[in-house]
Amino acid sequence: MWSRPGTGSAGAALAALGLALGGVAAERGALAALTRQISGVGLATAGTSSLPALIGLPAWLVILIALVGAGGLLWRLPPPSQTPGRWGWPVTGAIIGLLGVGAWVSGSRAGWHWGLSITGPSRSLLEAGLLGSPESFTWGAVMLIGIPLGSWASARLRGPFAWRAPAPAALPRRFLGGVLMGAGGTLAGGCNIGNALTGLSILSVHSLIATAAIAAGGVLGVRVSAWRDRAPP
C-alpha cells in the first residue's frame, strides 16, 4: 500500500492514511479498550512463542519441513502470469527476502528489534507528525518514508509521473478499508508484512496464526465480493 502513492495512486495514499489512523485508534484511541479486551483472550501455549519450542522439534527440522511443504505447493499450483519487462516472482521473492534480512541487521543497530513491518511504523509516523514526539520517529517510521520515495524513483525511471485518482464514489471505501487494515493489524500484532514476512522468518507461533487468519480472510473477502458481483441488482 505504501509503495503505490509513490507511483501516483491517490487512492492508495488515502488508504495509507486510513491505515495509520485505524492503527492509532486501536492502540490508544477509540478502539483501545477493544484491543485490550481481545488481547486478553489467548490460547495456552505453555509459555512458548516459537513453533519449534511448541511442537518439540529442532528449528532446522521445522524449517526443512516448511521448505518442502512450500516447494510442493508451488510445484502443484499453476505458475503466475509473467508481465513482459517485469521481474518474475522468483527474482522478486529473492529480493524481498534479502531486504528482510537487511531490515533485521540495520534495524537492530538503530534499536529496532523487529524486521520489516508496516502497521507499527504507520502508527509511529502519524504520532510523530501529530504529536511531535521524537520517540515516535523510529527506524520503522524512517523506513516507511523510504517506501514511497523508492517507488517514486522507480516510476520516474520508467516515465513521467502523474497523480491518478479513483472515482469519487470509491474514495470512502479506500479510506475505510485502510482504517480496517490498520485496526486489524494492530489487533493482530502486525499486518501481512510484519507477520507473514517477518514473524514467520523467526518461526513465531503468533505470526503463524495471524498469517493463516489473514489468508482465510482474504479468501473469504474475494468469494464474498464475487458472490456480490454475481447477485442480481
Side-chain angles (χ1 to χ4, degrees):
M1 179 189 297
W2 275 91
S3 65
R4 296 188 63 193
T7 64
S9 175
L14 186 62
L17 175 61
L19 185 148
L21 289 171
V24 171
E27 183 186 45
R28 61 171 65 189
L31 301 176
L34 177 62
T35 302
R36 290 192 297 269
Q37 184 176 2
I38 294 178
S39 299
V41 179
L43 299 175
T45 57
T48 60
S49 59
S50 69
L51 187 59
L54 180 64
I55 61 180
L57 293 177
W60 68 266
L61 183 56
V62 175
I63 294 173
L64 179 61
I65 294 173
L67 289 175
V68 172
L73 183 62
L74 291 175
W75 182 72
R76 292 293 301 272
L77 291 175
S81 58
Q82 179 72 39
T83 303
R86 302 290 180 88
W87 290 341
W89 68 264
V91 175
T92 303
I95 292 176
I96 291 176
L98 291 175
L99 289 174
V101 174
W104 278 110
V105 175
S106 61
S108 63
R109 293 181 177 273
W112 179 266
H113 301 297
W114 192 255
L116 290 175
S117 179
I118 298 297
T119 305
S122 296
R123 295 195 307 263
S124 298
L125 188 60
L126 182 63
E127 291 170 355
L130 293 180
L131 304 178
S133 54
E135 63 273 10
S136 296
F137 202 65
T138 60
W139 179 92
V142 176
M143 178 273 299
L144 199 66
I145 295 174
I147 293 177
L149 291 178
S151 62
W152 173 82
S154 177
R156 287 289 295 168
L157 290 174
R158 290 180 174 271
F161 175 87
W163 283 102
R164 59 191 186 279
L171 292 177
R173 186 178 63 182
R174 300 289 181 93
F175 178 73
L176 180 59
V179 171
L180 292 175
M181 289 178 64
T186 301
L187 287 171
C191 59
N192 59 327
I193 302 298
N195 277 312
L197 182 63
T198 302
L200 288 185
S201 70
I202 58 173
L203 304 178
S204 166
V205 175
H206 171 100
S207 293
L208 179 63
I209 296 173
T211 301
I214 290 171
V219 171
L220 178 62
V222 169
R223 295 197 174 187
V224 169
S225 179
W227 171 81
R228 185 182 59 185
D229 292 340
R230 291 195 303 267

